[in-house]
Amino acid sequence: MQVALYGLDDASLQFFFKCKEVLTGLGCVQCTYDPALFMKYDQNARLIGLIALHVDDFLHAGTEHFQ
């Protein structure tokens, strides 16, 4: 799905929704306390990575496998 974002009033919100769709599709879980924070767990329910979003910036940290 291709969506034109720039120039729209809600461009940043639509970008966030697309990022959320991709990250949850990759198995990340959205934090209930901060919707801009996504967590990735392994099959043993251990936290292996974090991704934080702010506008169009991403901050990530985690294990070597997560990287």
Side-chain angles (χ1 to χ4, degrees):
M1 176 168 128
Q2 294 183 352
V3 179
L5 292 178
Y6 296 102
L8 300 176
D9 291 337
D10 61 348
S12 58
L13 181 62
Q14 294 302 318
F15 181 72
F16 172 77
F17 287 150
K18 185 64 176 177
C19 290
K20 176 182 173 181
E21 177 185 327
V22 170
L23 291 173
T24 55
L26 292 171
C28 293
V29 177
Q30 190 175 22
C31 179
T32 55
Y33 300 109
D34 185 355
L37 179 64
F38 293 84
M39 302 159 290
K40 174 78 173 176
Y41 296 93
D42 65 7
Q43 58 270 28
N44 297 323
R46 290 182 296 194
L47 181 65
I48 61 169
L50 296 170
I51 299 175
L53 309 175
H54 178 70
V55 185
D56 62 351
D57 294 322
F58 297 84
L59 178 66
H60 65 91
T63 64
E64 190 172 313
H65 176 71
F66 177 73
Q67 301 289 331

